[in-house]
Amino acid sequence: MSTEPGPGAKPEADEGTTAGGTTETGDLTAGPAARSDTATAGADGGGGGAEGAVQQSEAEAELAAQQVERERIERRKAEKSAPIESGAKLSGKAADLLAAIRAVESGEKPVATVFAAPEPTPHRAAPAPEPVRRPQPAPAGAVPATETIADVRRILSDGGAPESLAPQVATALGEGAETLLREDPWQLLRVTGVRPDQADGFARALLGAECGPDDERRGRAVAGWLLEQAAVAGHTALEMPALTAALAQRAVPDPEAVVQSALAEGEALVFRDPLDPGAPEPEDDEEERPVRVLVALERYALAEESLADGLARLVNSLAKDASEPWEAAAAAASGGAAELARAVAGHGLVLHTGGEAARAEPAALLGAARAAGLRAFAATHTPDGSRRLADGAEAETVGTVADLLAGATGPGRDADGALALDLLIVLDAPQLDVEGAAMLVEALPDGARLVLSGDPAALWSAGPGRVFADLLAARVCPQIASRTPDPGPLGELVSGIGVGELTQVEAPGKEVVIVPVRDAGEAVHRTVQLVADSVPRALGVPAEQTVVITPGHGGAAGTRALNTALKERLNPGPGRFGGFDPGDRIAYSPAPGRTVPGQVVDADADGLHLSCAGAPVVVPKERVDQSVRHGWALTAHQAAGSRWPAAVVVLPGDAVQSLSRPWVYTAFSRAERHLSVVHGVEQALPKAVAETLPKPRTTRLPLLLKTQVPAAN
């Protein structure tokens, strides 16, 4: 069989195909010209059917659970005896806090960097006045009243803004949104996707001559927007010099005064964190201890404090002697699970690290604890993660973190509102953001054990924080590293990536295939061929069991372009339901940072009907644009926590800046049986694996833990 080069490709002397039509395994570290091409052939594939019964969206249940936990966080904050100290002598360099901000789940293209890396000037910040509490907007996900949407639509029209934004604005600002916007038009910046220049135009249309860049309302709103953009990039706080420099870039005349105003209005909190928490206090009373001044949005600051408080409670409230059931559970386990069980028997918090195969150890611990009469439950990031874990455990003892918090699964709550559990095991722990982790920990009763298990080489959470990595670095509890390797060529490849080595592996069963391409157009063409023809024909993996992973949503080979091409081939249709047709594969995001794969079933006056992880879901039509996308192609963050029989990872030439070791590790490890790499980045791939580590995230959790939890032996 001969190889057909793609459009624009030059035939290579070393081309070769196998009888199955896929290429011989190539070297990932070599350029495209040094590797073999893939045979092209195929027929159109049909989209799979979908099941469907109608069920209310899960957003309401999740919202109720989040509201309960936020109230608990507020109560904990009120118990703090001392006010937050502000103002300090700055020391050292301001971190290079933000490279290109990417809205991973919002679908926006990566935007230009909003934070420069200024040389900080030591100065003394003025003390912040006591915050004045303002009415808070409705929680995200709440359905605004029809009257509120109508009022917002009118003021958007008056300000020259698109009326289609009305549902989003009403949801973000809550009841009274129209009045709030008339008093402060820059509150429009609280809506996801709105930029400062757009809010400025809206304000000019409403305020006329009263509108100016020195308006205090504008400065506060831009400060809040910058902090939100930082949260999108994973930070829970920003250093003061970085924030003031970014405000200056946005034409705010007096950035420091603006920050103080935001603090006074309760729109942000400020913290003085010692640069060296372990250093002794200065002997000279006039000598000031070096600190860094951090500014944070209240929701993330409270969540981080609540998380640290809750973890300290779990660690410190546990009796040192293991009771009889815990000893029985430890005795019943074997191998790596036995080591994990012994650690859990004597500690309230335990960290467990390992790859996909290592998940068998917490699964065994779950079974041993249940057999010993303990109330145990395991939570995962995605329904697919629960499915894979349930293969070795009782189905009713496994569910997703979101469903556990919403009360849709799990043991329920006791009289005090805590989860009725003795042991909670959380897998995919790197995907926990600070708010989700805080709600989980706050929900556990005193004396309960918590096991956080995950792969530290994978991408961090889509939301702010780096909870699992911070805990590993803080060393406040036992850490059990699994010695169970992932098997086969895929396991060997991924394990090497985890330590910074991209090596060629022997793949006699075509477990790894390299498909060289020269531009984004060819990358899309080859990807469609692989999904629709080559992989099903050569390996017997149908198109619906193959996932495509690419670095971003935009660009010539981003998720939008790939999903358009894959829909045209696999499930062509007019998109009569707001761009969707029955049978379309979709990615449903019920909340930021969460993606559930599914399929379109139907649509009616109630909204778009989906089947997600076997469960019917109805998405109201006003939320479809925000929460549903086509899902043949995903980003690595969207795919995290799930696995498919086959994965096609697309690396077009314009993806070089997005590549990092965690991204490559996460993308490549989504495949269970077969991985195809559509490779167009030349030597940038091995360089990224060897040199490009995760971008730093500014968080306060390590310091908070250090002051409350003694270091573990």
Side-chain angles (χ1 to χ4, degrees), residues 134-153:
R134 301 181 63 183
Q136 294 298 307
V143 179
T146 305
E147 297 81 4
T148 301
I149 295 177
D151 292 342
V152 170
R153 187 171 284 114

Side-chain angles (χ1 to χ4, degrees), residues 176-241:
E178 181 201 16
T179 303
L180 183 60
L181 284 175
R182 289 202 184 276
E183 293 175 351
D184 184 355
W186 286 282
Q187 289 297 308
L188 193 65
L189 279 174
R190 294 197 182 196
V191 179
T192 301
V194 176
R195 302 189 308 272
D197 59 307
Q198 295 168 328
D200 287 341
F202 179 69
R204 281 194 297 271
L206 290 181
L207 301 178
E210 298 178 19
C211 177
D214 58 346
D215 193 304
E216 190 178 73
R217 295 169 294 182
R218 177 184 185 270
R220 289 199 306 268
V222 172
W225 179 81
L226 289 169
L227 290 170
E228 285 287 3
Q229 293 301 298
V232 169
H235 307 281
T236 59
L238 282 180
E239 291 193 18
M240 181 74 83

